[in-house]
Amino acid sequence: MQGTVTMYSTTWCGYCRRLKSQMEREGIAYTEVDIEQEPSAVELVEKANNGNRTVPTLVVVPGSGGPQVTMTNPSLAQVKKALAA
């Protein structure tokens, strides 16, 4: 099982664009949620980031079925590690 990745982002976020292109290059599938288009997603991002709307915020469910991990502006290596956990 590969696991799942949900990326909370905005259209103007350079860090988001970079991480998306890296994950695409590595064949890591993800679901993207634009927090400016989905107001309900803002609460999740703020809760994960001490009240800040910091993106990219990722929610990763490992392929092993382990507990989900929430990460803010992670590196590609951190995403891969979380998926493999």
Side-chain angles (χ1 to χ4, degrees):
M1 179 184 267
Q2 183 178 355
T4 62
V5 178
T6 304
M7 177 187 289
Y8 296 87
S9 65
T10 61
T11 57
W12 48 265
C13 171
Y15 295 110
C16 300
R17 283 193 301 270
R18 183 187 74 220
L19 185 56
K20 285 188 289 189
S21 69
Q22 291 173 338
M23 289 194 311
E24 288 166 3
R25 188 173 58 244
E26 293 291 319
I28 299 171
Y30 61 92
T31 301
E32 184 176 10
V33 179
D34 183 339
I35 67 169
E36 293 180 322
Q37 301 299 317
E38 295 289 335
S40 61
V42 172
E43 184 177 337
L44 181 143
V45 170
E46 288 177 341
K47 184 176 180 182
N49 296 293
N50 299 315
N52 297 310
R53 293 183 181 185
T54 307
V55 290
T57 295
L58 276 67
V59 175
V60 179
V61 177
S64 66
Q68 78 177 20
V69 178
T70 303
M71 301 183 287
T72 303
N73 197 16
S75 67
L76 178 62
Q78 289 170 311
V79 174
K80 290 170 114 176
K81 183 177 178 180
L83 279 169

